[in-house]
Amino acid sequence: MAIEETILLTQDDAAGSTRVNLRVIDIIAGLATKEVEGVARLRGTFGERAKEVLGYKDQHSKGILTKQDAEGNLSIDVYVDVNYGVIVPKVAHAIQEQVKSQIHAMMDLNVKSVDVHVIGILSEKTELDIDPNNLFGEDDVDEVGK
């Protein structure tokens, strides 16, 4: 069984202690990132994308990597695709602020850094002006033969 990384939130000898799995922080960061306008989607690893193809539901922590250093500081890497036409530095800054504020609000933790990695830009799907059944713009064959 793999060892799961946890963070100690509170330690009280009489009442016990509270530990939170890093995956919980990943999920919070993923949901916060999806709320930012201009983010097309989170960009996961090849394994995470393969799971989606095989029918697994959308993973909220896909594209998020949380690390804790020896001093207990959190650093989060966010991998995203953005929409075409957005100002990338503004979207990246909005992601950083959103992730930090949501984790602070929900977990009362301060995040040292949020590094945003823009992997791709997705353009809007355009409508085709060409009818695939009538590629050359010809009239119906029946009307030509009449």
Side-chain angles (χ1 to χ4, degrees), residues 5-6 25 43 45 80 86 88 90 101 105 120 122 124 140 142:
E5 286 191 59
T6 59
I25 296 171
R43 184 73 180 259
T45 63
V80 295
V86 300
V88 175
K90 284 187 178 181
S101 69
L122 299 181
E124 294 181 16
D140 289 315
D142 295 336

Side-chain angles (χ1 to χ4, degrees), residues 94-95 99 110:
I95 291 169
V99 168
N110 291 318

Side-chain angles (χ1 to χ4, degrees), residues 17-90:
S17 62
T18 303
R19 298 189 79 75
V20 175
N21 194 310
L22 285 179
R23 289 190 306 175
V24 173
I25 296 171
D26 290 348
I27 291 170
I28 294 169
L31 292 171
T33 300
K34 289 178 183 178
E35 292 178 2
V36 175
E37 189 174 336
V39 173
R41 64 182 178 202
L42 290 168
R43 184 73 180 259
T45 63
F46 179 74
E48 290 170 336
R49 289 185 299 228
K51 286 180 183 178
E52 281 185 3
V53 170
L54 294 174
Y56 287 90
K57 291 187 178 183
D58 185 30
Q59 302 163 352
H60 296 297
S61 63
K62 174 181 77 170
I64 307 292
L65 177 63
T66 302
K67 296 175 274 190
Q68 185 179 27
D69 62 14
E71 291 84 34
N73 298 319
L74 291 177
S75 61
I76 300 174
D77 289 308
V78 179
Y79 297 87
V80 295
D81 289 335
V82 295
N83 294 322
Y84 178 79
V86 300
I87 301 171
V88 175
K90 284 187 178 181

